[in-house]
Amino acid sequence: MGGLLELEGLSRTFGPVTALDKLSFEVPSGHVMGFLGPNGAGKTTTMRAIFGLMDLDAGTVRWNGEPVGAAERRRFGYMPEERGLYPSMLVAQQIEYLGRLHGMDAEAAGSATRHWLERLGVADRAASKVEALSHGNQQRVQLAAALVHDPELLVLDEPLAGLDPTGIDVIGQVLVERASSGCCVLFSSHQLDQVEDLCESVAIIDHGRLVASGTVDELATSGPRRLAVRVEGDRQGAWARSVPGVTLSELDGGEVRLVLDDAIDSDAVLDAARAAGRVTKFVFERRRLSEVFREAVNR
């Protein structure tokens, strides 16, 4: 297992709307890649293009250097944001059927179905209809459908949406395990804290264009210095708003995250914080992925 997904110059318009604008990036095997962007940025259009569900005006999707066709897509797994299951079909019966469509024999499809329903915590619902399941359990079954044939590439559109913390943990663990086994994993999400925890790298798009990409570590350590400061009695960070050379980036429960201009001395910031009250936290920090995202799409 293993491979390289390459998206090169993907372009698509819908009348006056540009959904994809010469979009290019790569997704290597062996780690989880987050695919981020505001609503309407072009993420779902990109994912559909990978599977030939969306015609492109220009550009090429390649797998291991070759244009993607029907044979390659049989080795891919896809979890669409919209439910892609038959509501009145029994869970296990449905997963086995989808496995057979990918070329598995009956015994292999049945064995893989039992494995993934157990691994994803829905084995007790194997004989239930999909429409009888909760949203979270439908998400788990949808992922089982994408995994049943042991795909080399796994593309997931908002797999964490609507899940409770336990469901997020289960699906997150599975994605990391699949990447560790050599699978190429790409998934979109608006839950940036989970993306930061799960992903080794990210691609951020806006208006169909790539606006930032790289490993999470690279993006977190790039750019100007950042401070996290907490001053007792000032939950709104009022003290920081008048300090020259300082921009208040985030406010979280009384803790302010500040971006420092190159010329500002951090001691001056500490003096301003002390003048406002007792300083209980003053720490240089990495950029949060949420900060990277905001800067990229507002640039």
Side-chain angles (χ1 to χ4, degrees):
M1 184 181 291
L4 174 68
L5 177 69
E6 299 172 273
L7 309 181
E8 182 179 335
L10 304 192
S11 297
R12 176 63 201 252
T13 58
F14 297 95
V17 177
T18 299
L20 298 178
D21 187 2
K22 300 177 183 176
L23 178 65
S24 300
F25 65 90
E26 296 180 353
V27 186
S29 63
H31 71 252
V32 182
M33 185 169 191
F35 188 33
L36 313 178
N39 290 331
K43 301 185 298 298
T44 295
T45 301
T46 302
M47 292 180 167
R48 289 175 174 167
I50 293 170
F51 287 87
L53 302 174
M54 179 71 66
D55 292 333
L56 293 167
D57 299 329
T60 306
V61 179
R62 294 190 181 89
W63 177 248
N64 288 334
E66 299 295 330
V68 169
E72 288 76 21
R73 292 188 183 107
R74 285 170 68 90
R75 306 197 300 273
F76 296 172
Y78 180 40
M79 180 177 172
E81 182 177 11
E82 305 88 357
R83 195 67 61 224
L85 303 170
Y86 299 105
S88 60
M89 199 170 180
L90 304 185
V91 168
Q93 186 181 56
Q94 180 158 193
I95 305 303
E96 289 180 26
Y97 170 69
L98 294 171
R100 295 298 302 276
L101 289 181
H102 279 281
M104 303 176 77
D105 63 36
E107 183 178 355
S111 177
T113 295
R114 290 187 293 273
H115 167 76
W116 283 116
L117 293 182
E118 180 70 35
R119 178 67 183 83
L120 293 167
V122 283
D124 60 332
R125 305 308 302 270
S128 300
K129 292 183 178 181
V130 171
E131 62 190 2
L133 303 183
S134 67
H135 174 85
N137 281 341
Q138 288 188 27
Q139 288 282 83
R140 297 178 193 225
V141 172
Q142 184 86 55
L143 181 57
L147 288 165
V148 65
H149 59 295
D150 194 24
E152 297 175 359
L153 169 68
L154 193 57
V155 177
L156 312 173
D157 198 351
E158 294 289 344
L160 306 178
L163 292 177
D164 60 24
T166 300
I168 289 173
D169 288 345
V170 168
I171 289 183
Q173 289 167 7
V174 168
L175 299 188
V176 171
E177 289 170 6
R178 297 309 299 160
S180 297
S181 71
C183 186
C184 185
V185 180
L186 176 70
F187 83 96
S188 69
S189 179
H190 290 294
Q191 295 166 278
L192 299 185
D193 288 344
Q194 275 74 42
V195 172
E196 193 164 6
D197 289 341
L198 290 173
C199 295
E200 185 172 332
S201 61
V202 297
I204 304 174
I205 69 170
D206 188 28
H207 293 94
R209 300 186 304 272
L210 185 71
V211 293
S213 65
T215 70
V216 172
D217 285 343
E218 288 169 348
L219 295 171
T221 55
S222 64
R225 294 167 297 160
R226 280 165 168 72
L227 273 172
V229 186
R230 184 182 294 271
V231 175
E232 279 190 356
D234 184 354
R235 294 186 60 81
Q236 298 303 314
W239 68 271
R241 299 175 193 272
S242 59
V243 180
V246 171
T247 302
L248 199 158
S249 172
E250 288 189 12
L251 179 64
D252 182 12
E255 179 177 303
V256 292
R257 295 190 177 90
L258 309 175
V259 180
L260 309 188
D261 290 353
D262 290 342
I264 188 72
D265 185 344
S266 59
D267 286 342
V269 181
L270 179 57
D271 290 342
R274 282 174 170 163
R278 180 168 175 265
V279 178
T280 58
K281 182 174 182 178
F282 191 87
V283 180
F284 281 99
E285 288 197 337
R286 293 155 49 104
R287 281 205 297 178
R288 298 278 293 274
L289 189 55
S290 56
E291 292 179 280
V292 175
F293 180 89
R294 289 192 191 100
E295 288 179 14
V297 301
N298 292 326
R299 192 171 297 154

